[in-house]
Amino acid sequence: AQSFTLIGRPGSYNTLGIPDEASFFPLARPGLYLFTGTLASGKSTSLAAVLNDVIQHAPRRIALIEETEELTIPDDGLVARYLTGERNAADVMTEALRTGPGVVAVGEIRDPASLLYTIRAAATGHTVYATMHVTDPSDVVDRICDSLAGDDLETATALLPDTLRGVLHHEAIHEAGGTRIVRTLVHPRPAA
């Protein structure tokens, strides 16, 4: 794990000040890449930056799944945005995967169904980026397992070891004077 300061609102992943150890996220091979942390810690900012870099440097079709339109990324024909709203997460993910995207981005994993479908999408050869509310980086796998039960838990625990490739954990640190600094711990999984 390594700590570093997340800088500003990005147009590009490189403008975040993320160290070389995490530079593989935008050009990632298939698997699951999570941006975790608490509310307003920079998870969505990092996700948007990765997607901007994918569009600019490694163009692939992106299926962006959000509850409401939140992420700022260019609309250049590579991005298909799917808003879940009141819809079932499983139905939305199925619809998105039918378009054959190279990248799937989930604005936030909010329920067991979207969690399981996110893991399954990564296991079927997609590069999947997602944000998830987690307060401690060492609790990521526990949080995933605590969210699921029965056959869903069994499926996730079978798939996770081969699909979870990296976690960037974001932490908001408030200092005297109200300055907000966001620190991120990097937990990469080495490429095989």
Side-chain angles (χ1 to χ4, degrees):
Q2 180 176 356
S3 294
F4 54 94
T5 302
L6 185 67
I7 305 168
R9 303 231 16 114
S12 167
Y13 193 65
N14 294 333
T15 65
L16 294 176
I18 292 176
D20 292 342
E21 291 82 0
S23 63
F24 68 93
F25 265 61
L27 303 174
R29 65 190 182 105
L32 177 58
Y33 301 85
L34 291 174
F35 297 93
T36 64
T38 58
L39 183 66
S41 62
K43 301 181 302 290
S44 295
T45 298
S46 293
L47 175 56
V50 164
L51 296 177
N52 283 329
D53 275 13
V54 167
I55 291 167
Q56 291 176 14
H57 304 296
R60 291 174 278 173
R61 291 170 31 99
I62 299 170
L64 175 57
I65 301 167
E66 300 178 283
E67 186 174 4
T68 60
E69 194 167 325
E70 208 174 299
L71 297 180
T72 305
I73 57 173
D75 185 10
D76 63 358
L78 287 177
V79 180
R81 195 178 297 255
Y82 298 86
L83 300 179
T84 59
E86 298 297 318
R87 296 170 61 195
N88 177 297
D91 292 342
V92 175
M93 182 68 82
T94 300
E95 178 185 341
L97 291 176
R98 282 188 183 136
T99 66
V103 172
V104 177
V106 180
E108 186 173 349
I109 295 173
R110 295 181 186 266
D111 55 55
S114 60
L115 173 59
L116 186 62
Y117 273 79
T118 298
I119 294 169
R120 282 184 173 160
T124 59
H126 295 87
T127 299
V128 180
Y129 300 106
T131 71
M132 191 167 85
H133 188 92
V134 176
T135 55
D136 185 324
S138 64
D139 291 340
V140 172
V141 173
D142 288 342
R143 172 77 200 288
I144 290 170
C145 292
D146 289 346
S147 299
L148 301 170
D151 290 344
D152 293 345
L153 175 59
E154 194 172 308
T155 299
T157 55
L159 296 176
L160 269 179
D162 293 327
T163 58
L164 184 59
R165 302 265 183 251
V167 177
L168 265 61
H169 184 76
H170 299 65
E171 182 181 359
I173 301 171
H174 302 281
E175 295 184 335
T179 304
R180 184 173 158 267
I181 298 172
V182 179
R183 304 290 291 172
T184 306
L185 300 173
V186 181
H187 297 274
R189 174 165 181 177

